Amino acid sequence: LHQQAEQTCRQLVRTQKEHEHLLQAAVEQAEGLEHSLRSAEAVLAERAAQLRDAQAQLSRNKLLIEDLRGENRRFAMALQAAELKQKSTEEKNQLLEEQASALKQLIGKITPASLSG
């Protein structure tokens, strides 16, 4: 009975040591997982900050694009006005050229008549 008790005691000690080793391994694994979790959280926080920066830049870019579109519309209207003014000026020039040609013809008719008269 004494031998059996010693054997049971040794078996209990072995089992207890195995459980301690398993517990130590579980603690180490938990610490490793906790470290991994902290690293992942740090990376996630950094990426979130990058996304916020990118979103802010995107908002600024959208405002710049809207400003450029407005400026482009103003330039287009100014160009259209300039083209209309150029067309009007060309029409006036054409009219003046026609009038000048008519005056030259008239002067050409009057000059020989006055010389002969």
Side-chain angles (χ1 to χ4, degrees):
L1 190 64
H2 183 64
Q3 261 185 338
Q4 193 175 7
E6 285 179 4
Q7 187 179 2
T8 302
C9 187
R10 284 192 299 270
Q11 190 174 1
L12 282 172
V13 168
R14 278 195 306 266
T15 303
Q16 185 178 359
K17 286 183 180 180
E18 286 176 14
H19 282 119
E20 286 174 1
H21 288 303
L22 288 173
L23 181 61
Q24 182 63 32
V27 167
E28 289 173 4
Q29 185 179 11
E31 288 172 351
L33 289 172
E34 190 176 346
H35 177 71
S36 296
L37 179 63
R38 280 194 298 270
S39 296
E41 286 174 340
V43 168
L44 186 60
E46 183 181 340
R47 297 265 168 85
Q50 289 173 350
L51 282 174
R52 283 190 298 275
D53 291 346
Q55 189 175 14
Q57 183 63 44
L58 183 61
S59 296
R60 288 190 296 271
N61 288 348
K62 283 181 179 179
L63 290 174
L64 286 173
I65 288 171
E66 285 303 312
D67 288 347
L68 289 173
R69 283 183 178 157
E71 194 171 330
N72 193 32
R73 282 191 293 273
R74 288 188 297 275
F75 282 140
M77 289 171 58
L79 178 63
Q80 188 177 18
E83 287 173 346
L84 288 173
K85 188 170 184 174
Q86 180 181 0
K87 185 177 179 182
S88 172
T89 302
E90 288 173 355
E91 289 172 353
K92 287 178 184 176
N93 283 345
Q94 179 66 32
L95 183 61
L96 287 173
E97 286 176 9
E98 290 171 3
Q99 289 175 351
S101 177
L103 282 174
K104 284 181 185 177
Q105 287 178 356
L106 185 61
I107 290 172
K109 290 179 183 177
I110 293 174
T111 304
S114 64
L115 289 176
S116 62

